[in-house]
Each structure stands twice: as C-alpha cells, then as structure tokens.
Amino acid sequence: MTRAKKIISGICGTALLAGMSLSLPAGIFISGSAGQAPAAAAKADIEKIGPNLAVIRLGDVATTVLWGASDVLVVDPGYEETGPALREAIRGLGGGVVKTIIDTHWHFDHTDGQKILGRGAAIISSEPTQKWLSSGQRLLGNDRPALPALARPNMTFAESGSIQGYPETVDVRVFPGGHTGGDLVVYFKKSKLLVIGDVVFSDMFPFVDVAHGGSPIVLAEVIQKIIDSYPSDVRIIPGHGRDLSMADLKAYRSMILATVGLVRAALAEGRSLEDIQKTDVLKDWKSWERGFTRNDWIGYIGASVKK
Ligand SMILES: [Zn+2]
C-alpha cells in the first residue's frame, strides 16, 4: 500500500475534512473521503468538449481525457487492445504523461487499458472495484484474471473526493449498487460534463452485474440520486452510446421502473422467470432491445429479486 493510498483510505473511513488534500509527486492534488475487444487498429472518434477536455471513443467505449501543460487525467481507459491508439489520440490532442486514471467500475472494457497506460499513474476507484480488479473474477461466463499490479487501482474513494492540479476540478462520487456494487461517477464541474460509466446504456436495456452487487431495482434509485445531485443542464457521457441529457436520464429511469414493475408483478403471481420470458411481458418495450435482449433484462430483474 502506498503512502498516498493510506492517507486517502484514512480519510475515506471518517468525515471529509474541507480543504484536506494529498500531494502526489506529479503535483496533482487529490482530496476527499476517499464483449469483445475491437481490433487494435480501431479509429479514435474524438469529441472535443473544451480546450483541455475531450471524449475519445475507441470501439464502443467512451474514454474522457483532461490534460494540462504536461499531465493527463483519464476516465476509463478502455480495452487493452485499443490502449496504444488511445495514447496516440491523447498525444494528438497535446496531452503528455497519464498521471491519473479514474475507473467508473471494474469491467474489463473500461479498465484493461491500464495495462498500457497505468504504469506510474495514480489509479483511483471505489473500494469494491479495487478488490475485484485485484483478484480473478467471472463475468458473463468468462474468467477475468486480476490486472497486473501496475494496472490495479492504488487509491480508493469510499464516498466522494476531488482532484485538483488539472485545468479544472474533477469531482468523484460513488453511487454503488446499480450496474455494479462499485460504480462511481466523475464530474467536470467547469465544463458541466458528467461521466457515468455503465449506470446507463444509451437507448437500450442495460447489463446489470448482479454477481458483483448490481441490481435493476437499485439502478432506478441510483439514477434518481444522480438526477438530484447535478445541475439539470449537464452533458452526460455514458460508457457506451450517445451523449445524454438529464431528460434522457429521467426517461431511462421511467423505463427501468416500468419494466421492473411488470416483471416483479408477474413474479408476485408465482410465475417462473421462464414463463415470464415466454409470455413476453416486455413486448411493448421492444425498442430498447439493442445490445441486451428483453429476456436478458427479465433475467437480471429476476436474479436481483431472488437475492
Ligand atoms: Zn460495465
């Protein structure tokens, strides 16, 4: 455990002390409580948000990058395979060395890029995300080995924190229990940009990692907390798909509540999940079936109700 980790964790367990900060070697200050990979040749789609802030999409994953005169902060570095292309894209924007990485959650499509970009960086996550990236896990029927030590989170926030030393303050807040038990969101206050990882999948039924603390029922609560916590005019960057507005988030929450309600009502009648899937209780919600199917979604709801 590094000295930095120790201090952050100590703060995490107690109250956040205003103005408390931690000095890192790079001059960065952190304070607070603390599928399938695309081909390596994937082309970066770069959405410039401001003079020092951009969203880079490689394959199906959105990576957010904030850079100063020499140091770079990255949220969700994506796949290992696209790590070199991500590094090139960051260089092309004028960014230097990646000094800070923030993981919205543990899934490999968001974190494996740390094998390429993580060496020497402060890698920040929630505590569950750090735990799951530090030992072997199962995900969607596949083994996911632990990340090598250099690529693992080395600092954790239990609830919230902020990072200074870049062109704008970066606020981090943990909202666990929706997509996974370790989800966090990252807010670039000056730019009004909110990065939410996989809490919401744009315009489609979500994947919920029930085996790692995710729940469709908690997901609706998490989305409401996010709506209540940030300004109504923020631009929202999900891990996959188009940018969203707060109105989109509200509509998404309504979809979750309605579909979870239908499946729970059918379960309460004593019907089996298989029967609910067969009789297609979500047939009116077909348009949300893009990546994950209605039956997948019914399965996630059923699995979390049983827990
Ligand atoms: Zn995910």
Side-chain angles (χ1 to χ4, degrees):
M1 184 182 282
T2 63
R3 176 179 155 274
K5 166 82 190 314
K6 217 169 151 194
I7 295 169
I8 289 282
S9 296
I11 299 165
C12 288
T14 58
L16 166 61
L17 303 177
M20 185 169 262
S21 67
L22 166 71
S23 182
L24 295 169
I28 308 303
F29 296 91
I30 298 180
S31 67
S33 66
Q36 270 298 51
K43 196 180 164 339
D45 170 33
I46 299 173
E47 180 184 1
K48 200 96 182 275
I49 307 291
N52 295 85
L53 183 64
V55 177
I56 301 172
R57 291 182 172 87
L58 275 155
D60 63 335
V61 175
T63 297
T64 304
V65 179
L66 175 68
W67 64 97
S70 59
D71 300 338
V72 180
L73 176 145
V74 171
V75 183
D76 285 356
Y79 298 95
E80 179 179 8
E81 288 82 349
T82 53
L86 176 61
R87 194 164 48 198
E88 278 312 302
I90 292 170
R91 280 192 193 132
L93 287 163
V97 180
V98 174
K99 291 287 186 183
T100 308
I101 294 175
I102 305 172
D103 293 335
T104 61
H105 63 293
W106 77 277
H107 292 156
F108 69 99
D109 50 333
H110 297 252
T111 55
D112 265 4
Q114 278 147 223
K115 294 179 201 168
I116 308 296
L117 296 165
R119 188 183 294 276
I123 305 179
I124 298 165
S125 75
S126 67
E127 289 166 357
T129 295
Q130 182 189 48
K131 189 179 85 186
W132 293 325
L133 287 174
S134 303
S135 59
Q137 304 294 324
R138 294 278 295 170
L139 179 67
L140 289 168
N142 294 309
D143 284 325
R144 306 304 320 177
L147 284 177
L150 71 88
R152 291 179 198 164
N154 47 34
M155 287 184 195
T156 57
F157 287 150
E159 289 178 10
S160 62
S162 66
I163 301 162
Q164 275 102 38
Y166 289 96
E168 64 177 291
T169 299
V170 182
D171 288 328
V172 174
R173 194 160 155 193
V174 180
F175 288 98
H179 179 60
T180 76
D183 299 336
L184 61 76
V185 307
V186 185
Y187 184 44
F188 298 85
K189 197 173 179 180
K190 198 172 90 186
S191 301
K192 286 198 171 174
L193 188 82
L194 183 64
V195 179
I196 59 167
D198 288 355
V199 169
V200 166
F201 284 70
S202 297
D203 308 312
M204 61 172 123
F205 290 128
F207 165 58
V208 171
D209 188 351
V210 178
H212 293 89
S215 156
I217 296 153
V218 177
L219 184 58
E221 295 165 16
V222 164
I223 294 171
Q224 186 61 54
K225 281 185 201 157
I226 291 172
I227 292 168
D228 294 340
S229 301
Y230 299 96
S232 58
D233 59 345
V234 290
R235 190 196 307 204
I236 299 163
I237 307 294
H240 309 277
R242 68 178 176 96
D243 297 3
L244 301 174
S245 65
M246 275 298 186
D248 292 323
L249 230 52
K250 286 176 189 167
Y252 200 83
R253 180 176 169 275
S254 298
M255 179 277 286
I256 303 275
L257 285 175
T259 52
V260 167
L262 285 168
V263 176
R264 288 183 88 175
L267 285 168
E269 289 169 8
R271 294 170 58 191
S272 70
L273 271 185
E274 294 68 31
D275 181 49
I276 294 168
Q277 287 167 334
K278 222 181 286 168
T279 54
D280 207 3
V281 295
L282 299 186
K283 59 180 178 304
D284 293 341
W285 300 87
K286 224 174 178 172
S287 63
W288 294 85
E289 186 173 270
R290 293 181 188 198
F292 298 93
T293 66
R294 318 205 269 297
N295 283 351
D296 290 333
W297 181 227
I298 290 168
Y300 304 145
I301 297 167
S304 73
V305 167
K306 272 189 222 150
K307 275 198 153 186

